[in-house]
Amino acid sequence: MQKTDHVIDLAGYKKEDLTVCLGCKICASVCTVNDLSISTSPQELLQTLFLGKDISADNPLVRYCTGCYRCTQACPWDIRIPEIVRALRDVLATGSPFEKAFKGSLDIWGRVYEPYVLLKAVPFLIKEGYLKHMNRWIEYMGIHLPHKVKKINPSNNSNGQKGGTL
Ligand code: SF4
Ligand code: SF4
């Protein structure tokens, strides 16, 4: 049995805050998870929560919400659905290894410290066979091996102007 009030509280809301929901489902119409052909509705999640019913770890939003905030931007009341989803993941203990590593890093240093996050995520990455993409990650993380930089001769400046020293 989930403690609904606890989830809402963790998300930074009070239960009465959610009563403003119009049930218009605009959030559902823009939800990224629906773009993946997985049928879901942030509004239904809110309603279920508001009624004090359990939400399972298999709920598509609990599993796949990307935290993109498209729903919040579209919602007339700016209801922060992804924060509610994050609170649910906390309560259901279904956060991804990365989420846990990010939170751990914030608890220790107050910021995301990439080597710590990577270290914490390594067991998961090995288990799921993601290490084969390591070269790509290094590329994305902007870590480049040192390489020789060709010196430009200032006298060959195409504008015919004298360049500065490099
Ligand atoms: S934040 Fe989550 S619920 Fe909202 S639109 Fe993005 S994927 Fe959907
Ligand atoms: S867009 Fe906002 S008001 Fe409309 S159903 Fe979704 S959460 Fe409720």
Side-chain angles (χ1 to χ4, degrees), residues 93-159:
T94 60
S96 76
F98 285 102
E99 279 181 334
K100 287 176 190 163
F102 283 136
K103 279 179 194 151
S105 180
L106 286 175
D107 286 345
I108 298 170
W109 290 285
R111 62 175 282 259
V112 173
Y113 183 51
E114 291 84 353
Y116 173 85
V117 172
L118 198 58
L119 197 69
K120 285 285 182 185
V122 158
F124 166 77
L125 297 173
I126 292 173
K127 187 173 157 230
E128 301 295 327
Y130 284 106
L131 279 191
K132 62 185 175 198
H133 301 296
M134 183 61 94
N135 287 347
R136 276 272 180 80
W137 299 341
I138 289 175
E139 211 176 297
Y140 288 141
M141 285 193 294
I143 301 171
H144 302 287
L145 294 172
H147 60 278
K148 205 171 177 185
V149 178
K150 195 178 169 190
K151 272 200 169 187
I152 300 170
N153 185 347
S155 61
N156 290 341
N157 189 322
S158 60
N159 297 327

Side-chain angles (χ1 to χ4, degrees), residues 31-34 36 38 40 42 45 59-72 80-86 89 99:
C31 179
T32 303
V33 177
N34 281 325
L36 305 173
I38 300 168
T40 191
L45 183 106
N59 181 288
L61 281 181
V62 174
R63 294 188 69 179
Y64 303 117
C65 171
T66 61
C68 64
Y69 281 88
R70 277 168 79 176
C71 51
T72 304
R80 302 184 305 278
I81 304 281
E83 288 164 33
I84 293 168
V85 171
R86 274 202 292 277
R89 285 174 180 163
E99 279 181 334

Side-chain angles (χ1 to χ4, degrees), residues 45-60:
L45 183 106
L46 269 191
Q47 193 179 32
T48 309
L49 201 58
F50 188 78
L51 294 174
K53 294 183 186 168
D54 277 359
I55 294 170
S56 85
D58 285 336
N59 181 288

Side-chain angles (χ1 to χ4, degrees), residues 20-27 43 46 71 74-77 79 81:
V20 296
C21 174
L22 304 166
C24 61
K25 297 199 175 185
I26 292 173
C27 48
Q43 186 268 338
L46 269 191
C71 51
C75 172
W77 294 107
I79 295 176
I81 304 281

